Amino acid sequence: MTLDLSSDDLEMLDGRDGAAVEMSMRIIVRLGETVKANRLIDISSAHIDSCLYHGLSTIDFADRLVQLGAQVKVPTTLNVSSMDLLHPDLYRGDPEEALRGRQLADLYESMGCKPTWTCAPYLLEERPNFGDQIVWAESNAIVFANSVLGARTDRYGDLIDICAAITGRTPDAGLHLDANRYASLVYEVGHLSPSLFDHDEIFPLLGAFIGSTTGTQVPVVDGLNHKQSEYRLRALGAAAASTGSVGMFHVVGSTPEAQTLDAALGDNAPQGLIKVSVEDLQMMRSKLTSSTGTALATIALGTPHYSIDEFAILRSHILGKHKHPEIDFYVSAGRDILLELELRGWADELRSFGVSLVGDTCTYFTPILSNTDKPAMTDSGKWAYYAPSNLGIDVIFASTADCVASAIAGRVVLDESIWTNEQ
Amino acid sequence: MKVFGLMSSNKEISGPMLRLDEPLSFWGGLDPETGQITDVHHPQVGSSVTGTVLAMEHGRGSSSSSSVVLELIRNKAGPVAIVLSEMDTHILLGSIVAEELYGLSMPVLITSKENLQNFHSGNVAHIDSEGNIKFIN
């Protein structure tokens, strides 16, 4: 099969719409040939990860596109930045890097991208519909769009995301195609105690386990007896996309392409079945925890950016209480959500407990934490997975409730009853 | 092996092999200034990829990997070539854009999973412009 370009594609490639479209199209076509696509397809939105600063080459690339006259052709949102653009004083890193982050932000905004600065674009008011063809980068956004919204995006990353936004086209390959969206590996959980799944923290653990065992297959979770909330599904997906390269998963009865197990499998026989054990989940819990003592300096929540649902849970734990003075408590969220917290009056309640709200960026790769010598605690599988490498910090994965209890106590407090009851 | 991306002129590429025991996420797993593997979960943490022919089954994880590959190439801290048994478009895009922006090459080569078993760290690999590879112990 060769890549069959439309006359429009060929004209773009030939410079009809200017040099930026031509360069972007050249990159899209090379990708299309590599992934053996038959054609390019139109997209209805894009989410850009290239706006995060990773060194001068990220600026060189955006600057080249801007110099060549680039403008996005479809509604385009921006992923997190390297700093809180609205509260730059939170940034503790190299001031020159902060300037570069701001410069990169300006370049992408000047191409017509919306300054959303969030890794959770699916929480914005306008989100893709079932079946929409989109180009989203950022692994947790990709896995959520495919699995929970039923929109279609391949596992895009930096550089290609903006090229697709500028041309409005992408190769018809990967998770854009029906055949690649069916599950082939079943994770059975029906034999586990249903009460285990009353606990939110089981979902990132299950996700982390799936990510580390599923390889490049599409997994399906079978045996959960009621429809799971969006925030649980996204915690599962975010963890699976961190410990592995999962771009789509199904949960029978909860995700739109898995009304039944057969539907998720596309009526094919599964290639494998994994019976998940309590020990598997406990093993993931220890893998996501690198500290065994009670020492603690930081609580870090909001990876991916917290939703209103998650703030509601957090609020129920903190109302009328105050954190220990020696613990820093950060929660990251998108601008829109932070604004909503103000409007609801929740922001003041959170601040009165001692929460520092962080926007536009995330605490697991930006120098925001004031103390990285002592361990941090998180309810995020993704934060727990990446922070030790990125920040050189020790981490404890725990439930949101344990994070709050520890913040109040000033040391690590873990409720082990969920595990001891399962023995 | 099938070659994707530009082979530097007609010259043969050669470098010491670095065979990774597990897939590596370039973002969060590698310092693009030094070329050192920093992922504490990776068995080869501390090894440097600079100047090597880097072989692994596939890439892993974050969507930022393309940018890190691009920055690695710009810093001249990258491998001379990456050999995979499954195409990783994140890695390839870093290589494609490095050609577009800087005219620098770091080809991505695809071989079979079986062939990848013949890649051993410490051997020197010579790759010609057709993707033929010779190992010298």
Side-chain angles (χ1 to χ4, degrees), chain A residues 26 57 60 138 155 158, chain B residues 60 63 67 71 90 100 102:
Chain A
R26 198 158 55 230
S57 57
D60 289 346
E138 161 52 42
R155 287 184 54 242
D158 291 10
Chain B
R60 194 186 58 71
S63 17
S67 286
E71 182 65 8
H90 294 163
E100 283 277 350
Y102 308 115

Side-chain angles (χ1 to χ4, degrees), chain A residues 133-192:
Chain A
Q133 300 285 5
I134 60 175
V135 165
W136 276 19
E138 161 52 42
S139 61
N140 101 82
I142 293 165
V143 74
F144 189 91
N146 280 316
S147 315
V148 184
L149 302 181
R152 298 184 170 214
T153 175
D154 204 19
R155 287 184 54 242
Y156 293 103
D158 291 10
L159 312 177
I160 193 68
D161 48 11
I162 188 67
C163 294
I166 289 167
T167 58
R169 303 282 280 169
T170 199
D172 191 17
L175 294 167
H176 290 287
L177 296 166
D178 286 344
N180 297 329
R181 299 175 67 83
Y182 297 127
S184 55
L185 186 56
V186 181
Y187 288 82
E188 176 56 50
V189 299
H191 55 284
L192 297 172

Side-chain angles (χ1 to χ4, degrees), chain A residues 26 30-31 34-35 49 54-57 60-61 64 138-139 155-158 160 216 242 364 385 389-390, chain B residues 5 27-28 39-41 60-61 63-64 66-67 71 74 86-87 89-90 92-93 97 99-102:
Chain A
R26 198 158 55 230
R30 285 189 65 179
L31 176 70
T34 306
V35 298
D49 189 54
H54 292 289
L56 285 174
S57 57
D60 289 346
F61 178 62
R64 171 78 64 90
E138 161 52 42
S139 61
R155 287 184 54 242
Y156 293 103
D158 291 10
I160 193 68
T216 51
S242 301
Y364 74 103
Y385 185 83
S389 294
N390 284 346
Chain B
W27 182 82
D39 179 355
V40 295
H41 304 281
R60 194 186 58 71
S63 17
S64 298
S66 308
S67 286
E71 182 65 8
R74 187 190 73 88
E86 277 175 49
M87 174 49 82
T89 55
H90 294 163
L92 180 71
L93 280 160
V97 173
E99 284 173 36
E100 283 277 350
L101 282 184
Y102 308 115

